[in-house]
Amino acid sequence: MARTDRYIREEENVLRKENRETNYTIRLHFAKENKDDEIIEEIQKLLTETYIRSVTDKGGSHDGSDR
């Protein structure tokens, strides 16, 4: 695993990303029946939910602008 700035396929249905600066490793596990487009859709949902939660926790608006 040479690249640490992108998700790589660790196993057939496991994506992994490492961040050496923070010492965090992220693993995303998907059901075996998921197709690549379904995995991409799920990742997009996770990113959207994380962004909305981040903005809400900071007290900002959902469109990314400051109040």
Side-chain angles (χ1 to χ4, degrees):
M1 272 189 250
R3 306 262 337 215
T4 59
D5 60 337
R6 296 185 182 181
Y7 284 95
I8 58 170
R9 205 173 280 270
E10 185 177 63
E11 296 174 22
E12 183 178 347
N13 290 301
V14 178
L15 297 178
R16 174 185 172 134
K17 181 178 180 180
E18 294 180 352
N19 185 324
R20 292 186 182 159
E21 290 178 16
T22 61
N23 292 320
Y24 281 102
T25 299
I26 298 169
R27 281 190 187 89
L28 302 173
H29 297 256
F30 299 94
K32 289 199 182 283
E33 62 271 3
N34 283 35
K35 306 270 188 272
D36 283 343
D37 56 339
E38 293 170 322
I39 292 173
I40 291 169
E41 185 177 322
E42 189 64 28
I43 291 171
Q44 289 172 331
K45 287 179 189 177
L46 288 168
L47 291 171
T48 302
E49 290 171 9
T50 301
Y51 172 76
I52 291 171
R53 190 172 303 126
S54 170
V55 170
T56 303
D57 290 347
K58 292 179 184 176
S61 65
H62 293 282
D63 64 1
S65 64
D66 294 340
R67 289 186 185 183

